[in-house]
Amino acid sequence: MLDAKVQAGDIDAWFVSTVSPHQQAPGIAGSVKSFFVDAKNYTPAFSLMSGCAGFNQNLQKCIEYFRLHKEAKYAVVAHTETMSSFLKKSRRFVPCVTVGDAAAAVMVERGQADEKFGILSICNYQDLKMLDYVGVDDDWNLYMDDSVIKDRACVNIPKASRECLSEAGWGINDVDIFVPHQTGNVIVKQAAA
């Protein structure tokens, strides 16, 4: 909020996601919000239980919230994880180096302009073919099949990218930088081919 020069009391909604909450209830969004405002602040706080895709899903929900609430001007979208709490000692090292403990947040502001700018397009997929290959089991241990994840990522990254570009009215040559989430050269080179 300091970088955005926005006071916490001016935020109209809070969207926070995680798959590794410090407690089951209350939701993590309310917990995060409570560090910035007092108990008299009744702005909504939306908690989403989701891993990697949580940030993008909340970003999409934030934009939908702005469309429904024309008076809203500012929102926080954040994601936090302590994935190390899910790592089994028996797991191979290589699949686990793609996850880590981190948190990030952005301030989303409603803007007015004659031309499009900011978030032009969001494409979120739930790949049901991945349900049995990455997750957290009943004992709270991370499991993943890195070869299946690689194969699905190499299909999904280009598909989602093309859809976003099309919705934004851009071509591939309009993109200067592409930043994939938690991936390495094995996936990036195959997805780019």
Side-chain angles (χ1 to χ4, degrees):
M1 285 173 262
L2 293 176
D3 290 342
K5 295 180 176 56
V6 175
Q7 297 297 314
D10 294 330
I11 295 168
D12 298 293
W14 305 73
F15 299 83
V16 186
S17 55
T18 187
V19 77
S20 55
H22 64 291
Q23 60 190 23
Q24 291 302 307
I28 191 165
S31 296
V32 169
K33 175 186 163 186
S34 72
F35 283 96
F36 298 97
V37 296
D38 62 30
K40 295 177 183 177
N41 184 299
Y42 291 104
T43 54
F46 302 96
S47 298
L48 176 65
M49 185 74 148
S50 181
C52 297
F55 182 84
N56 281 351
Q57 290 168 343
N58 265 341
L59 197 56
Q60 186 171 14
K61 294 300 177 196
C62 173
I63 291 169
E64 291 169 2
Y65 184 86
F66 277 161
R67 287 181 182 142
L68 290 172
H69 300 271
K70 302 298 183 188
E71 76 286 358
K73 184 170 182 183
Y74 300 109
V76 168
V77 177
H79 187 86
T80 180
E81 296 295 0
T82 53
M83 296 301 289
S84 63
S85 63
F86 299 139
L87 298 182
K88 280 184 176 177
K89 293 180 181 176
S90 62
R91 287 284 172 190
R92 298 190 332 267
F93 175 72
V94 173
C96 296
V97 297
T98 62
V99 299
D101 298 346
V106 296
M107 181 72 66
V108 181
E109 179 182 1
R110 179 190 301 275
Q112 300 292 332
D114 293 332
E115 62 182 64
K116 289 183 177 182
F117 73 100
I119 301 167
L120 301 180
S121 175
I122 296 176
C123 176
N124 286 315
Y125 288 134
Q126 174 67 57
D127 187 346
L128 297 180
K129 294 180 180 178
M130 299 274 288
L131 288 180
D132 294 330
Y133 299 102
V134 62
V136 176
D137 65 23
D138 292 340
D139 294 321
W140 290 94
N141 290 307
L142 176 71
Y143 63 88
M144 61 169 52
D145 184 323
D146 49 316
S147 63
V148 173
I149 292 170
K150 178 190 80 71
D151 292 344
R152 297 307 302 157
C154 291
V155 170
N156 291 330
I157 290 173
K159 183 178 179 183
S161 299
R162 283 191 207 96
E163 184 175 321
C164 276
L165 288 170
S166 176
E167 286 180 10
W170 285 17
I172 192 73
N173 293 328
D174 296 317
V175 177
D176 295 319
I177 299 172
F178 178 79
V179 182
H181 168 66
Q182 288 186 349
T183 189
N185 286 338
V186 172
I187 293 173
V188 171
K189 288 180 179 177
Q190 187 171 332

XYZ file of all heavy atoms in Angstrom, residues 5 15 17 21 29 32 43 57 65 70 74 83 85 102 105-106 114 122 127 142 147 149-150 174 176:
196
model
N 0.678 4.223 -2.650
C 0.233 5.485 -2.042
C -1.284 5.486 -1.811
O -1.985 6.456 -2.098
C 0.660 6.678 -2.887
C 2.175 6.837 -2.962
C 2.576 8.015 -3.811
C 4.070 8.248 -3.818
N 4.875 7.122 -4.240
N -8.823 -9.642 -1.602
C -8.874 -10.983 -2.173
C -7.548 -11.678 -1.848
O -6.498 -11.254 -2.335
C -9.047 -10.912 -3.694
C -10.314 -10.229 -4.140
C -10.381 -8.838 -4.220
C -11.429 -10.957 -4.492
C -11.537 -8.197 -4.633
C -12.594 -10.334 -4.899
C -12.648 -8.945 -4.975
N -5.543 -15.553 -1.379
C -5.613 -16.992 -1.612
C -4.405 -17.696 -1.021
O -3.325 -17.121 -0.877
C -5.697 -17.275 -3.119
O -4.622 -16.656 -3.803
N -3.076 -22.399 4.644
C -3.437 -21.390 5.641
C -2.881 -21.734 7.023
O -2.677 -22.903 7.344
C -4.970 -21.447 5.647
C -5.300 -22.837 5.247
C -4.232 -23.224 4.250
N -8.153 -14.037 4.170
C -8.321 -12.647 3.723
C -8.677 -11.740 4.895
O -8.144 -10.631 5.023
C -9.389 -12.563 2.638
N -5.498 -11.223 6.985
C -4.578 -10.263 6.363
C -5.122 -8.846 6.518
O -4.407 -7.923 6.917
C -4.342 -10.610 4.877
C -3.612 -9.485 4.160
C -3.570 -11.918 4.755
N -15.350 -3.565 4.936
C -15.168 -3.905 3.517
C -15.013 -5.414 3.381
O -14.465 -6.080 4.260
C -13.938 -3.200 2.922
O -12.801 -3.489 3.729
C -14.152 -1.705 2.840
N -6.917 -16.459 -10.194
C -8.358 -16.581 -9.981
C -8.891 -15.392 -9.186
O -9.955 -14.855 -9.502
C -8.663 -17.898 -9.263
C -8.430 -19.111 -10.140
C -8.441 -20.419 -9.352
O -8.319 -20.425 -8.130
N -8.595 -21.515 -10.064
N -15.654 -8.072 -9.489
C -16.173 -7.257 -8.390
C -16.271 -5.789 -8.821
O -17.273 -5.121 -8.557
C -15.263 -7.395 -7.165
C -15.768 -6.673 -5.943
C -16.664 -7.287 -5.081
C -15.352 -5.371 -5.665
C -17.142 -6.622 -3.954
C -15.826 -4.699 -4.547
C -16.724 -5.325 -3.699
O -17.194 -4.657 -2.590
N -19.656 -0.385 -9.091
C -19.104 0.766 -9.808
C -18.453 1.782 -8.876
O -17.621 2.577 -9.292
C -20.195 1.462 -10.637
C -20.876 0.571 -11.647
C -19.914 0.039 -12.677
C -20.653 -0.788 -13.724
N -19.752 -1.470 -14.626
N -10.411 0.717 -5.285
C -9.175 0.006 -4.952
C -9.464 -1.390 -4.403
O -10.436 -1.572 -3.662
C -8.376 0.763 -3.885
C -7.953 2.153 -4.270
C -8.536 3.261 -3.673
C -6.958 2.354 -5.214
C -8.150 4.536 -4.007
C -6.566 3.642 -5.564
C -7.161 4.725 -4.955
O -6.779 5.992 -5.296
N 4.707 -23.711 1.402
C 4.741 -25.041 0.796
C 5.723 -25.975 1.485
O 5.578 -27.194 1.418
C 5.057 -24.933 -0.694
C 3.993 -24.208 -1.501
S 2.361 -24.973 -1.418
C 2.639 -26.453 -2.373
N 5.846 -26.705 4.379
C 5.136 -27.503 5.381
C 4.549 -28.778 4.792
O 4.155 -29.676 5.533
C 4.024 -26.664 6.021
O 3.057 -26.296 5.056
N 6.430 -18.159 0.018
C 6.468 -16.791 -0.494
C 5.099 -16.138 -0.352
O 4.099 -16.814 -0.079
C 6.894 -16.782 -1.960
N 1.566 -9.434 -3.326
C 0.296 -8.701 -3.371
C 0.383 -7.580 -4.398
O 1.465 -7.047 -4.651
C -0.038 -8.124 -1.994
N -0.754 -7.254 -4.976
C -0.844 -6.104 -5.874
C -2.044 -5.258 -5.460
O -3.012 -5.765 -4.894
C -0.990 -6.504 -7.369
C 0.237 -7.238 -7.862
C -2.246 -7.316 -7.602
N -9.269 6.415 -22.592
C -9.856 6.199 -23.911
C -9.360 4.910 -24.536
O -10.072 4.265 -25.303
C -9.547 7.384 -24.837
C -10.247 8.653 -24.375
O -11.321 8.542 -23.741
O -9.716 9.743 -24.642
N -7.575 -12.149 -18.883
C -7.205 -13.194 -17.929
C -7.798 -14.505 -18.423
O -8.968 -14.562 -18.812
C -7.748 -12.898 -16.516
C -7.124 -11.629 -15.957
C -7.486 -14.077 -15.577
C -7.674 -11.228 -14.609
N -7.360 -27.738 -15.134
C -7.047 -28.932 -15.914
C -7.382 -30.166 -15.086
O -6.628 -30.574 -14.214
C -5.564 -28.929 -16.302
C -5.211 -30.048 -17.266
O -6.028 -30.985 -17.439
O -4.123 -29.999 -17.852
N 2.683 -32.952 0.297
C 2.619 -32.637 -1.128
C 2.953 -33.875 -1.950
O 3.873 -34.614 -1.622
C 3.620 -31.524 -1.460
C 3.754 -31.130 -2.929
C 2.509 -30.397 -3.406
C 4.990 -30.266 -3.133
N 6.563 -35.526 -14.331
C 6.495 -35.773 -15.775
C 5.106 -35.437 -16.321
O 4.982 -34.876 -17.411
C 6.869 -37.221 -16.098
O 5.951 -38.115 -15.508
N 2.992 -33.268 -14.924
C 2.878 -31.813 -14.817
C 3.565 -31.142 -16.002
O 3.029 -30.216 -16.609
C 3.482 -31.323 -13.483
C 2.615 -31.798 -12.330
C 3.617 -29.802 -13.467
C 3.225 -31.584 -10.975
N 4.756 -31.610 -16.340
C 5.482 -31.058 -17.490
C 4.663 -31.214 -18.772
O 4.491 -30.260 -19.535
C 6.838 -31.735 -17.656
C 7.616 -31.226 -18.868
C 8.840 -32.051 -19.163
C 8.543 -33.316 -19.905
N 8.149 -33.162 -21.296
N 3.695 -8.737 -30.252
C 3.445 -7.592 -29.375
C 3.960 -7.824 -27.958
O 3.980 -6.896 -27.149
C 1.941 -7.282 -29.312
C 1.389 -6.858 -30.653
O 2.062 -6.059 -31.337
O 0.293 -7.316 -31.022
N 6.746 -8.434 -25.218
C 8.171 -8.221 -24.977
C 8.744 -9.210 -23.966
O 9.876 -9.643 -24.084
C 8.426 -6.794 -24.472
C 8.082 -5.753 -25.522
O 8.395 -5.973 -26.709
O 7.488 -4.723 -25.159
